[in-house]
Amino acid sequence: MTHGLSRRGVLRGAALTGGLTVGGALFARPGTAFAAPVIYNPFAGYTITQTWAQHRANGSLGGIDFAMAVGTALPACGAGTVTNIPNNGTGGHTVTIAHADGYKSQYLHLSAFVLANGAAVASGATVGRSGGAAGAPGSGSSTGPHLHWHMIDPSGVRINPLEYVAAHPPAGGLPKTATETSGTPDATCYKRMQNWLRLTNGYTGPIDGVPGTNTWAALQRAMRGYGYTGPIDGVMGPNSWRAVQQLASGYGYTGPLDGVMGPNSWRGFARFLNQDRWN
């Protein structure tokens, strides 16, 4: 579909660095500028319903559409400063994240804003709720629930966020976890787990090494491929862990599949997580 998005009201981002937690959300601290905007794809686990090329062919300035239920939390794809634009033409309710170096990201067709204008956010913090139901407040020209995402470069030209992410990977990536040797899960082990789940199973929270319900639910989704048949409830029990042991058995774990994670189970799982593709 076509989105004739106005850029009025879009503010250039304040320079930010670091982060703090307020009320369970991550917020960036004002300070010196980032060396470059680091952007990731928070929506890798959702189906793309309209590509960049399809948008352009339909006369749009460009965007990527992801199918998702109304009310889905929308994580910031990178640190920046938030500006909300209600009823922004065909784009409906739009949230803009102004990043470092003049780049911006925009999410369209929101059902709700959750932050005030000028709020500083860190990567992964929730900035709004998805919408898009035809005729609903904030949907603009959308004909069904989805999220539209695009970026804008410093010269004001709309660009493909997936191409940007592919061309600007985070410097150095994540370090390897020592759990492969120690058999004891550490924060780096959990960060690598979160990044793997972000890339493959729809995890959209921060890569902070502190797994919560959303992390565990994404792990349960991943374990569908290893024999887990229980609920996706974010509560890890023996059946969930048994599937993790099944995965680990392909990476050197030779113990029982009993759903009790010991040092050898964790070593095998960590060998899987230490693969370069999950950096």
Side-chain angles (χ1 to χ4, degrees):
M1 75 190 65
T2 301
H3 302 294
L5 178 64
S6 166
R7 295 190 182 93
R8 57 189 169 75
V10 177
L11 302 180
R12 179 158 185 161
L16 304 169
T17 189
L20 66 138
T21 302
V22 179
L26 290 176
F27 291 85
R29 298 179 186 278
T32 58
F34 289 111
V38 177
I39 306 298
Y40 82 104
N41 176 10
F43 313 115
Y46 297 91
T47 300
I48 293 176
T49 55
Q50 192 167 60
T51 66
W52 184 268
Q54 289 169 329
H55 265 281
R56 295 302 298 268
N58 290 337
S60 165
L61 294 176
I64 308 290
D65 287 350
F66 298 88
M68 63 180 66
V70 172
T72 300
L74 302 176
C77 58
T81 303
V82 168
T83 299
N84 303 312
I85 311 176
N87 299 312
N88 190 30
T90 59
H93 290 348
T94 300
V95 67
T96 299
I97 308 168
H99 308 294
D101 293 350
Y103 283 89
K104 305 176 184 73
S105 295
Q106 292 192 311
Y107 300 162
L108 279 59
H109 311 303
L110 274 63
S111 62
F113 300 112
V114 299
L115 299 174
N117 287 334
V121 294
S123 181
T126 298
V127 296
R129 300 281 176 181
S130 68
S139 289
S141 65
S142 175
T143 58
H146 76 285
L147 171 74
H148 171 115
W149 176 30
H150 65 252
M151 291 181 65
I152 299 171
D153 71 13
S155 64
V157 175
R158 198 182 291 194
I159 60 175
N160 186 336
L162 301 186
E163 289 184 354
Y164 181 94
V165 169
H168 301 82
L174 293 171
K176 306 297 186 184
T177 175
T179 302
E180 183 173 341
T181 301
S182 69
T184 301
D186 58 13
T188 301
C189 177
Y190 289 133
K191 284 181 181 179
R192 294 190 68 86
M193 181 177 75
Q194 289 170 323
N195 201 45
W196 158 54
L197 295 170
R198 174 183 68 82
L199 292 168
T200 62
N201 283 276
Y203 173 66
T204 59
I207 309 301
D208 60 2
V210 184
T213 301
N214 289 337
T215 303
W216 297 128
L219 180 58
Q220 288 173 322
R221 283 195 295 273
M223 291 304 97
R224 290 293 196 211
Y226 296 89
Y228 177 64
T229 59
I232 307 301
D233 58 5
V235 179
M236 295 293 289
N239 290 335
S240 301
W241 289 119
R242 186 177 296 113
V244 174
Q245 289 175 320
Q246 181 65 55
L247 182 157
S249 68
Y251 295 85
Y253 175 61
T254 59
L257 303 181
D258 59 3
V260 179
M261 292 290 285
N264 289 334
S265 300
W266 281 109
R267 288 187 184 101
F269 188 32
R271 289 187 191 99
F272 166 78
L273 294 174
N274 270 342
Q275 297 176 92
D276 289 344
R277 56 182 170 155
W278 312 135
N279 285 358

